[in-house]
Amino acid sequence: RGVLVVFEDVTPVEKAGQMRRDFVANVSHELRTPLTALMGFIETLKGPAREDPAAAERFLSIMEAEASRMNRLVGDLLSLSRVEADERMRPAERVELGALLRASVAGLAPLASEAGVTLIDALPEETDGPLVPGDADQLRQVFSNLVENAIKYGGAGAEVRVAMDAPAYEPRLRATGVRVRVADTGPGIPEIHLPRLTERFYRVDSHRSREMGGTGLGLAIVKHIVNRHRGRMRIDSTPGEGSTFSVVLPVD
Ligand code: ADP
């Protein structure tokens, strides 16, 4: 059984340069893969596939999928650069977290049913709160990334449950916080991967992630947004049983 606690970490200057170089190399590689496929299919369409409309049709659908992969990747890169920019800024808005979560879960119901996953809203019914100082768009992104992952990796037959505790004093925050849990009964994650899971482009199974349309940036974005909100994230996972991603955010 593995547990990872993500701290608000500060990267030493000497490490930052190396990380930036790795990042640029990774981005180039991630962009080049779909681009190479696109260029190959363009060549084929200009040549042999001209005479074969059925093949051309098939190639065009693959090209569409590759182009939308690039589009998702660029979208996630932009999100990441936005949330990394002013990590320590204190967000000014007050967000009704209960209402935000309920809407996120409802919005992802179609995705869950398409995947054959049972998505359970275990949120307290009687309240829209608590009020969390934050950025509504960013918090929505945190929970939609976590729930989408739970659905994606949970797979057909899995159960995904979203729950929220009543606000309580959180010693790690030295403040009152609210804990949200996204739990799935999916395959779980072997412990050795946990420390690296929130790194940009880190995947347990690259092939499966790509097949599921993943960019490898989802949890990196989640981590930065949670840090920005002075929150904490924790991942508990047991292979064969499932994973729970918990996020604690300070409340007003
Ligand atoms: P991706 O775009 O690949 O989904 P993420 O940053 O969102 O990237 O997640 C990183 C990796 O963590 C995934 O590739 C997957 O291997 C693993 N992962 C994330 N969430 C889950 C989950 N709920 N169950 C099992 N594995 C998960």
Side-chain angles (χ1 to χ4, degrees):
R1 179 181 180 82
V3 176
L4 166 74
V5 179
V6 177
F7 297 91
E8 195 172 347
D9 53 357
V10 181
T11 310
V13 181
E14 64 273 21
K15 231 188 120 195
Q18 182 60 40
M19 282 176 67
R20 192 157 45 239
R21 285 188 294 277
D22 289 350
F23 181 60
V24 172
N26 278 328
V27 170
S28 311
H29 174 76
E30 296 287 337
L31 282 169
R32 180 169 265 173
T33 308
L35 202 50
T36 305
L38 281 171
M39 287 166 70
F41 284 116
I42 289 171
E43 279 312 305
T44 318
L45 283 172
K46 283 166 75 182
R50 272 220 163 119
E51 320 299 326
D52 185 350
E57 192 67 38
R58 220 170 44 243
F59 295 156
L60 281 169
S61 333
I62 302 174
M63 291 169 75
E64 196 173 24
E66 296 295 336
S68 68
R69 166 192 303 292
M70 289 181 74
N71 196 34
R72 264 197 313 276
L73 180 61
V74 171
D76 278 356
L77 285 169
L78 286 172
S79 298
L80 191 61
S81 84
R82 264 198 304 273
V83 296
E84 278 184 337
D86 41 8
E87 186 129 35
R88 278 162 196 285
M89 205 183 83
R90 190 171 175 81
E93 259 182 274
R94 294 289 181 274
V95 179
E96 289 187 317
L97 193 65
L100 181 145
L101 287 167
R102 209 172 302 130
S104 294
V105 173
L108 289 167
L111 184 74
S113 81
E114 207 177 300
V117 168
T118 310
L119 179 57
I120 299 165
D121 174 341
L123 298 160
E125 274 168 31
E126 62 282 3
T127 167
D128 283 345
L131 284 180
V132 167
D135 178 312
D137 287 336
Q138 292 188 359
L139 291 175
R140 212 171 284 124
Q141 187 164 18
V142 164
F143 297 108
S144 68
N145 283 1
L146 294 178
V147 177
E148 276 173 29
N149 275 351
I151 294 171
K152 250 174 16 182
Y153 297 107
E159 206 177 86
V160 172
R161 179 182 298 267
V162 181
M164 180 173 75
D165 293 348
Y169 182 75
E170 289 286 344
R172 307 196 53 135
L173 299 182
R174 285 193 224 95
T176 304
V178 60
R179 181 179 302 271
V180 179
R181 282 196 199 87
V182 178
D184 66 67
T185 59
I189 304 159
E191 189 168 5
I192 85 160
H193 296 289
L194 292 180
R196 302 196 57 194
L197 215 58
T198 60
E199 283 177 23
R200 302 178 282 200
F201 297 118
Y202 189 84
R203 295 145 162 138
V204 174
D205 176 345
S206 305
H207 179 73
R208 180 156 166 78
S209 156
R210 289 210 176 80
E211 212 173 53
M212 313 293 314
T215 61
L217 295 175
L219 289 179
I221 293 171
V222 165
K223 172 182 151 175
H224 281 288
I225 296 177
V226 171
N227 273 348
R228 255 201 92 181
H229 287 75
R230 292 159 198 271
R232 291 286 185 274
M233 178 163 87
R234 174 188 161 118
I235 307 171
D236 294 73
S237 193
T238 310
E241 285 181 23
S243 311
T244 300
F245 290 71
S246 340
V247 171
V248 185
L249 295 166
V251 297
D252 244 359

